[in-house]
Amino acid sequence: MRPATEALVVIDVQIDFCPGGALAVAGGDAIVPGINSLMDEFAAVVLTQDWHPADHLSFASQHAGRAPYDMTEMAYGPQVLWPDHCVQGSQGAGFHPDLRTDADLIIRKGFRREIDSYSAFFENDRTTPTGLHGYLTERGITKITLVGLATDFCVNYSALDGARLGYDVTVIEELTRGIDLDGSLDAARSMMRAANVRLG
Ligand code: VGL
Ligand code: ZN
């Protein structure tokens, strides 16, 4: 068992991000057994859950004439438009049925219509907090290990924000899978390396 100063943060292992889901990530389901085993090593386990209202502005369906994977501008900068996914209370927003959910905390994010939220720590304006930093700080956690979906979006943003907040951050790449839009996977790896995130 690892020390009480370490947490495992499992990002968005939800039905909609797995094969057959609304925003499927190739091989998204293949990481579930490895994540479940890794949970045994950690005294603190946090799950995140992408949790959007049905009219969320990151959905292409909310923008006339726009298609999924187009880019748009939001108040906080550029934003990819996604297929509708992880709608609050829908089946697709649920965790993969085989994922262990006996975690200490579940953080829901992306519930404000106007702001997308990739990171487990901050929404995409990079300032509105999710509350995770407060929780980890109060538990004295200084080191986080990240796994889950998707490598180049929610895992990447969480890793960068974690490093910016001063955590020792490790991403176990083999327990993540990426979307890879226009080279976003390579870009994410370079950004994480530049931020001193350990890629394990
Ligand atoms: C994610 C796109 C939209 C993710 C969430 O979990 O990486 N990607 N919402
Ligand atoms: Zn989302």
Side-chain angles (χ1 to χ4, degrees), residues 17 50 52 58 85 116:
F17 296 125
D50 212 36
H52 300 308
S58 76
H85 65 278
D116 205 0

Short mmCIF file of all heavy atoms in Angstrom, two decimals, residues 17 50 52 58 85 116, ligand 2:
data_model
loop_
_atom_site.label_atom_id
_atom_site.label_comp_id
_atom_site.label_asym_id
_atom_site.label_seq_id
_atom_site.Cartn_x
_atom_site.Cartn_y
_atom_site.Cartn_z
N PHE A 17 -17.56 7.15 -23.26
CA PHE A 17 -16.19 7.22 -23.76
C PHE A 17 -15.64 5.84 -24.12
O PHE A 17 -14.47 5.72 -24.50
CB PHE A 17 -15.27 7.89 -22.73
CG PHE A 17 -15.62 9.35 -22.47
CD1 PHE A 17 -15.87 9.79 -21.19
CD2 PHE A 17 -15.69 10.25 -23.52
CE1 PHE A 17 -16.19 11.12 -20.95
CE2 PHE A 17 -16.01 11.59 -23.29
CZ PHE A 17 -16.26 12.02 -22.01
N ASP A 50 -17.67 13.09 -16.15
CA ASP A 50 -18.12 14.17 -17.04
C ASP A 50 -19.64 14.20 -16.93
O ASP A 50 -20.30 13.15 -17.05
CB ASP A 50 -17.66 13.80 -18.47
CG ASP A 50 -17.31 15.00 -19.34
OD1 ASP A 50 -16.76 15.99 -18.82
OD2 ASP A 50 -17.59 14.92 -20.55
N HIS A 52 -22.77 16.59 -18.07
CA HIS A 52 -23.25 17.79 -18.76
C HIS A 52 -24.78 17.88 -18.78
O HIS A 52 -25.46 16.87 -18.96
CB HIS A 52 -22.80 17.76 -20.23
CG HIS A 52 -21.32 17.72 -20.43
ND1 HIS A 52 -20.45 18.61 -19.84
CD2 HIS A 52 -20.54 16.89 -21.18
CE1 HIS A 52 -19.21 18.34 -20.22
NE2 HIS A 52 -19.23 17.29 -21.02
N SER A 58 -20.75 22.81 -25.16
CA SER A 58 -19.68 22.08 -25.86
C SER A 58 -20.27 21.10 -26.87
O SER A 58 -19.52 20.46 -27.61
CB SER A 58 -18.81 21.29 -24.86
OG SER A 58 -19.48 20.12 -24.41
N HIS A 85 -22.77 14.01 -25.24
CA HIS A 85 -22.21 12.90 -24.46
C HIS A 85 -22.35 13.19 -22.97
O HIS A 85 -22.46 14.35 -22.56
CB HIS A 85 -20.72 12.69 -24.80
CG HIS A 85 -19.87 13.87 -24.39
ND1 HIS A 85 -19.75 15.00 -25.16
CD2 HIS A 85 -19.14 14.11 -23.27
CE1 HIS A 85 -18.97 15.87 -24.56
NE2 HIS A 85 -18.59 15.37 -23.40
N ASP A 116 -17.00 24.34 -20.57
CA ASP A 116 -16.64 22.93 -20.58
C ASP A 116 -15.64 22.70 -19.45
O ASP A 116 -15.07 23.65 -18.89
CB ASP A 116 -16.05 22.52 -21.93
CG ASP A 116 -16.22 21.03 -22.19
OD1 ASP A 116 -16.79 20.34 -21.32
OD2 ASP A 116 -15.77 20.55 -23.25
ZN ZN B 2 -17.48 16.37 -21.95
#
